[in-house]
Every structure is written in structure tokens, then in C-alpha cells.
Amino acid sequence: MTIRKAHAKWEGNLKQGQGTIALGGGKLDVPYDYGARFEDGAGSNPEELIGGAHAGCFSMALAHALSEAGHPPTRIETTARVHLEKNAGGFAIPKIELETEADVPGVDEDTFQRLAEEAKRNCPVSKVLSAAEITLDAKLLSAQPT
């Protein structure tokens, strides 16, 4: 079993405090604070990091599915939009929108869409985030006629 870890440090109260999230065994330190999370401040936030993890995992799962089907991709680019909303119980992430574009020589549109939906359902990060609605807008840049 593979185990990955990240480390977060927070100093101060919620609104005036600040912190860092360390990834990759300290290879990447990401600053975050209240303004970056709940306003349009500089820095990052946990939701962006979740989005990055989801976009990366989905892209790898799609690359694998396409390759296994005999259509190795040239390029896949994915954006994840993670919605953070306040509700009666505090804050929640009700929805994640995945938007991907892929250059996949030789694959038809129907096969691409089927494999993209499978990748969305089966990537480990999608599975762990399944309490949120996860949508997918997948665009094939080099479609073959069906």
C-alpha cells in the first residue's frame, strides 16, 4: 500500500492567521489564509489543492483508460472547479466541475466520452470525493469519425 502525506501549519486566529501546506516531502510549500480561502486574496486554499489533486488523478485515469483501449493520448489538460458554499451546518463542498481537453489520435467521440466518464467514476480521488456532485465536460480535440 502506498501512503502519501501532506503537512499543514496554521498560526493565529481564523481571520488574521496564516499557514502553509507542505507537499512532496517539503518540495512545495503553499501559503494559505482566510483571504485566499473565503475572498479573492493571494495564496492558495484547501479547495484549490483538492481541485489540483482531482484534476491530476482524473487526467492520469483517463490516460490509462485510453491507453488500455489502444488510444494513447498525446495530451490531456483538466481543470477542476471546487465549489465551497456556506450552508446551515457551516461550509460544504457540494459540487466539483471537471473540464478536460484531450488530444487523442485515432479515437472516436463516443469511445472518448465513455472512457472519460469511466475515468471520472473510477479515479481514486473521485471516489473519495463522491459526497459532492461531480460533473464532467470532456472535449476531444482530434476526433475520428464514428
Side-chain angles (χ1 to χ4, degrees):
M1 171 170 54
T2 303
I3 299 173
R4 302 290 182 223
K5 70 176 188 174
H7 176 79
K9 178 176 73 173
W10 185 263
E11 296 175 335
N13 67 23
L14 176 63
K15 288 198 175 184
Q16 285 79 38
Q18 58 188 0
T20 57
I21 299 173
L23 309 169
K27 294 177 190 152
L28 179 63
D29 262 353
V30 180
Y32 72 113
D33 61 24
Y34 182 90
R37 189 167 194 194
F38 299 106
E39 299 167 353
D40 288 329
S44 189
N45 55 67
E47 291 72 32
E48 284 180 345
L49 295 169
I50 289 170
H54 201 180
C57 185
F58 168 80
S59 294
M60 290 177 77
L62 181 55
H64 177 68
L66 288 163
S67 296
E68 288 290 304
H71 306 289
T74 303
R75 180 179 60 88
I76 298 171
E77 289 189 32
T78 304
T79 299
R81 290 179 183 82
V82 178
H83 296 238
L84 178 65
E85 296 179 2
K86 186 170 179 141
N87 59 31
F91 285 89
I93 296 173
K95 183 176 184 177
I96 301 169
E97 299 172 279
L98 294 175
E99 184 177 296
T100 194
E101 291 185 350
D103 188 359
V104 189
V107 72
D108 63 82
E109 183 71 31
D110 290 342
T111 300
F112 173 74
Q113 291 298 328
R114 178 178 54 79
L115 294 172
E117 283 294 329
E118 285 177 17
K120 180 188 86 168
R121 276 192 312 276
N122 294 319
C123 92
V125 174
S126 284
K127 288 178 181 179
V128 79
L129 298 174
S130 63
E133 174 190 5
I134 301 171
T135 64
L136 174 63
D137 180 9
K139 291 184 177 62
L140 177 60
L141 300 177
S142 55
Q144 296 295 313
T146 54

